[in-house]
Amino acid sequence: MSQLASMEKLFGVIDQTAIILRKELNCVYLEAVAETGENLFQGTILQEELDEVTKKRLKKNTIQSRLIILKKKRFEKRIS
């Protein structure tokens, strides 16, 4: 997978997660993106007010994002 395709996939997952958070938390999109970034950084879903089904959906997206980031880092390490 090319770096561009990898970044597009990562953006797609972040976008999907932010849309879910925006709807569930009733906040603006940019705030939801920030929440998504914090979840990725911490490796967990920090929003305690969410129901379990939503947390599972977000956790799946968070895991997917972290895998994309790891694959990108491995790729960069191989070519350097």
Side-chain angles (χ1 to χ4, degrees), residues 17-25 32 35-36 47 50 58:
T17 304
I19 290 169
I20 294 168
L21 282 174
R22 180 181 57 83
K23 289 177 183 175
E24 293 293 323
L25 299 176
E35 293 283 339
T36 298
Q47 296 75 25
L50 300 175
L58 294 176

Side-chain angles (χ1 to χ4, degrees), residues 2-67:
S2 73
Q3 282 188 308
L4 179 60
S6 179
M7 291 306 293
E8 286 175 343
K9 190 172 182 179
L10 179 60
F11 174 78
V13 174
I14 291 171
D15 182 55
Q16 291 170 1
T17 304
I19 290 169
I20 294 168
L21 282 174
R22 180 181 57 83
K23 289 177 183 175
E24 293 293 323
L25 299 176
N26 196 26
C27 63
V28 296
Y29 179 79
L30 189 56
E31 186 178 348
V33 170
E35 293 283 339
T36 298
E38 188 65 25
N39 288 345
L40 282 171
F41 182 75
Q42 297 295 330
T44 190
I45 306 304
L46 300 171
Q47 296 75 25
E48 295 176 6
E49 63 271 26
L50 300 175
D51 62 63
E52 289 304 312
V53 174
T54 302
K55 284 183 182 181
K56 285 182 183 179
R57 288 173 59 203
L58 294 176
K59 190 166 188 93
K60 179 181 172 189
N61 284 358
T62 299
I63 291 169
Q64 188 176 2
S65 296
R66 291 175 68 89
L67 287 174

